[in-house]
Amino acid sequence: MLKIEILRNYLYSILSIFAQYLYPIIILPYVLSIFDPNLFGLINYYENLSRYLLTLALFGIPQYAIREISKSNMSNKLKKFRQLFTLHFISTLLFLIIYIVFVIFFLPKDFYNIKLIVIGALIILSNLLLIEWFFIGTEKFKFLSYRLIFSRLVLIVVVFSFVKDVDDLELFFLTNLIFNLLIGFFSIKELFKDENFIFRFDFDFIDHIYPCVNIFLIAFFIQVYTVLDVVILGFFATASQVGLYTLASKIIKIPIALFSALTPVLMPKISKSFKRNNVSKINILINSSITFSVLFSIPIMTLIIIYSDYIILIFSNEKFLDASLYLQILSPLVLIISLGNILVMQFMMSINKEKELVSIFFFTALISIILTLILVPELKALGTVLTLLIVECIVLVLAIIKSKKYLQNLQLDFKLFLSAFIISIILGLLFSYIKSLIYYELFFSLILIFLFLISYIFILFLLNKHKLENNLNTLKSMNE
């Protein structure tokens, strides 16, 4: 299974995820003490709009590039980089034009803000500097981690130093652009450390378009219900409703990102194993990834359901307490999306099954649009929450059906999973009772959450010691 190298890269990936999501953990409570749900919703509307078009402007290049670059020698890596960057440049200009057309003709009047519009356009343009796909393909996880940590620290200093009141709304949104520029600066600097690297456009990218189109379509359909949902909600609800929904969705993405940290580490490994027809290694990699996600998703789901109001208060204040219901409803996504990412991003994308994934995400995007038009006009943010949950469940079911024929020898320990579920339920009932005996206080809330997780890990290991040790031994004994 995983060698020391994979474990080290995973730790660097975890470090990157930690730095990425430590930022909102630190910043959100401060920012939400300044901005009310209405202003927070306005910022997130533009953030999601620019992120949606930014993601599409990537044109499916990151996932395709990681797979292709990881299989190439150094000279071919640099050649493919130039070709893919040129394609990226053209697609970015195209989607920048689409953004401008949208804000001129289709932007809801309640969300009009010329400064945010301009910053959003610059964020899309700065998309050109986001070339971590090259460094993931060359497995430079150490560089990626240090670069991200430094950039996030700079942003934390900027926010606490300059964002002081509601008049700093645009400045806070500007930090997204500052972050991209910092990331771009270090990326370009690292690229030019290679004496063989020469920057120039290479328009010989025709062979890359077709596979990128398939991945682009997947990204396009996924973004319909994961990012565009906020933009659509803005047509039917107030900025306050947008703010409550985005807070809940941002919080739920923190644990999901932790489990997704394996994806950039395992994609090159699975891709290489597939090229060598090493089916047994692929099965072991996927089995371990699923086991890890299930064992740690279950207690986090339980925690979110029990302490949703406390979690909202940890990140914000009483003005945002209505988001606690949305957070509870979204809690199953910790497990659902983690498993979906394993089957889709780690496995099927790595073995070149983009065509099958396009059909999955086209169908789910269509279902998302139908459910949105039915639920959101009446239920507003709650309709968006229910739509996202239903659609992600459909994605997971279809991913299981599609991947099953390629993972026939996958052996999962369902007794171990059941054990984790029962332990979480029992601890959940116990800690729910403890919660009913005390009033909310930040320090005690954090202590209770910490004790819950420690108790879960201790009991799980105590009851399943041999199984867990066998899994760890398999990891250590895995050869490249």
Side-chain angles (χ1 to χ4, degrees):
M1 209 170 132
L2 299 179
K3 279 180 63 178
I4 296 298
E5 176 194 356
I6 304 178
L7 290 172
R8 184 174 60 247
N9 286 341
Y10 175 63
L11 290 175
Y12 280 128
S13 187
I14 283 285
L15 189 60
S16 294
I17 295 293
F18 179 75
Q20 181 78 359
Y21 283 91
L22 182 63
Y23 174 75
I25 289 173
I26 295 172
I27 291 300
L28 268 180
Y30 174 72
V31 169
L32 294 179
S33 69
I34 299 172
F35 304 130
D36 60 19
N38 186 65
L39 292 176
F40 186 66
L42 181 62
I43 294 171
N44 279 277
Y45 184 87
Y46 280 95
E47 185 177 299
N48 279 268
L49 176 60
S50 58
R51 189 192 308 152
Y52 177 66
L53 292 171
L54 185 149
T55 302
L56 296 184
L58 288 169
F59 201 65
I61 290 170
Q63 293 87 348
Y64 171 74
I66 291 170
R67 187 181 70 204
E68 295 303 310
I69 288 175
S70 67
K71 297 186 292 187
S72 307
N73 58 40
M74 198 58 205
S75 61
N76 281 334
K77 288 181 197 292
L78 295 174
K79 180 180 179 182
K80 287 180 178 178
F81 169 81
R82 286 189 286 267
Q83 293 169 344
L84 291 170
F85 182 84
T86 305
L87 180 59
H88 186 191
F89 177 79
I90 294 171
S91 66
T92 297
L93 293 181
L94 173 63
F95 281 98
L96 180 60
I97 294 170
I98 292 173
Y99 172 82
I100 294 170
V101 171
F102 177 85
V103 297
I104 291 174
F105 297 104
F106 302 104
L107 187 71
K109 291 182 179 178
D110 291 344
F111 291 88
Y112 186 84
N113 182 306
I114 188 62
K115 291 181 181 179
L116 295 180
I117 289 172
V118 172
I119 296 170
L122 293 175
I123 289 172
I124 294 171
L125 193 59
S126 68
N127 164 54
L128 286 170
L129 303 174
L130 304 181
I131 53 173
E132 49 259 52
W133 43 268
F134 178 75
F135 300 112
I136 293 174
T138 52
E139 300 189 41
K140 293 187 177 181
F141 292 97
K142 183 178 180 180
F143 161 72
L144 291 171
S145 297
Y146 291 166
R147 180 197 67 171
L148 182 62
I149 290 170
F150 179 80
S151 299
R152 282 302 183 193
L153 287 174
V154 169
L155 252 62
I156 289 171
V157 172
V158 169
V159 171
F160 279 103
S161 299
F162 299 103
V163 179
K164 299 294 184 181
D165 53 48
V166 293
D167 293 330
D168 297 321
L169 179 76
E170 292 85 4
L171 177 59
F172 178 65
F173 186 50
L174 185 66
T175 59
N176 291 282
L177 176 61
I178 295 171
F179 175 74
N180 285 357
L181 294 176
L182 283 170
I183 290 292
F185 170 77
F186 289 112
S187 298
I188 293 170
K189 185 178 178 182
E190 183 69 17
L191 270 177
F192 279 95
K193 283 183 179 180
D194 188 332
E195 59 184 18
N196 296 316
F197 177 76
I198 301 173
F199 178 78
R200 64 174 181 271
F201 287 113
D202 187 340
F203 291 90
D204 187 22
F205 53 71
I206 302 301
D207 291 340
H208 299 302
I209 291 179
Y210 179 71
C212 280
V213 165
N214 284 325
I215 299 174
F216 165 79
L217 289 174
I218 294 169
F220 174 78
F221 295 138
I222 291 174
Q223 297 294 308
V224 167
Y225 58 86
T226 58
V227 177
L228 195 60
D229 55 351
V230 172
V231 179
I232 296 173
L233 179 60
F235 285 99
F236 298 102
T238 63
S240 178
Q241 285 270 301
V242 173
L244 294 173
Y245 169 70
T246 51
L247 175 61
S249 62
K250 280 178 181 290
I251 293 172
I252 210 71
K253 287 174 183 176
I254 294 173
I256 292 171
L258 175 66
F259 303 125
S260 301
L262 268 174
T263 297
V265 176
L266 291 186
M267 274 192 73
K269 303 297 179 185
I270 294 174
S271 182
K272 288 179 183 177
S273 299
F274 178 70
K275 185 178 181 181
R276 299 168 185 169
N277 200 29
N278 192 342
V279 178
S280 61
K281 181 175 179 179
I282 293 175
N283 281 329
I284 296 172
L285 288 168
I286 297 300
N287 182 80
S288 293
S289 191
I290 290 175
T291 300
F292 170 81
S293 293
V294 171
L295 293 184
F296 286 95
S297 292
I298 290 174
I300 290 175
M301 286 166 49
T302 308
L303 267 176
I304 292 172
I305 292 171
I306 297 170
Y307 293 109
S308 62
D309 51 348
Y310 284 11
I311 293 170
I312 292 295
L313 289 174
I314 288 171
F315 281 94
S316 58
N317 52 60
E318 291 82 1
K319 295 178 183 177
F320 291 84
L321 267 177
D322 287 344
S324 62
L325 173 62
Y326 306 150
L327 189 59
Q328 287 178 319
I329 297 172
L330 292 174
S331 62
L333 293 184
V334 176
L335 178 60
I336 293 167
I337 294 180
S338 296
L339 293 178
N341 280 342
I342 292 167
L343 296 177
V344 172
M345 301 304 296
Q346 290 182 20
F347 178 61
M348 295 191 71
M349 195 78 78
S350 297
I351 64 170
N352 307 345
K353 299 300 177 184
E354 290 89 356
K355 286 184 180 179
E356 297 189 38
L357 293 177
V358 169
S359 63
I360 289 176
F361 291 112
F362 171 75
F363 177 73
T364 50
L366 188 61
I367 294 295
S368 174
I369 293 171
I370 294 171
L371 288 174
T372 296
L373 295 176
I374 294 172
L375 298 177
V376 174
E378 290 296 324
L379 300 177
K380 306 298 189 283
L382 180 59
T384 304
V385 168
L386 294 173
T387 297
L388 179 60
L389 181 62
I390 294 168
V391 169
E392 289 291 1
C393 287
I394 295 172
V395 169
L396 178 58
V397 171
L398 294 177
I400 291 172
I401 293 171
K402 291 286 187 180
S403 61
K404 194 174 181 181
K405 57 185 175 182
Y406 305 111
L407 290 169
Q408 295 175 351
N409 297 320
L410 193 64
Q411 296 179 342
L412 298 172
D413 192 340
F414 289 100
K415 289 183 178 179
L416 180 61
F417 300 160
L418 180 61
S419 171
F421 180 75
I422 292 172
I423 293 168
S424 269
I425 293 296
I426 294 172
L427 286 174
L429 293 172
L430 174 62
F431 278 80
S432 182
Y433 174 72
I434 295 172
K435 178 192 174 188
S436 68
L437 300 177
I438 62 174
Y439 291 102
Y440 171 77
E441 203 281 326
L442 177 60
F443 177 74
F444 286 114
S445 301
L446 295 174
I447 290 295
L448 283 175
I449 291 172
F450 176 75
L451 288 176
F452 179 98
L453 292 173
I454 292 298
S455 301
Y456 169 81
I457 294 171
F458 176 76
I459 297 172
L460 181 70
F461 188 79
L462 187 66
L463 298 180
N464 301 278
K465 182 179 178 181
H466 295 297
K467 290 182 179 180
L468 295 173
E469 285 180 345
N470 287 337
N471 283 334
L472 290 174
N473 289 333
T474 306
L475 288 174
K476 293 176 181 178
S477 63
M478 184 72 176
N479 293 319
E480 182 65 43

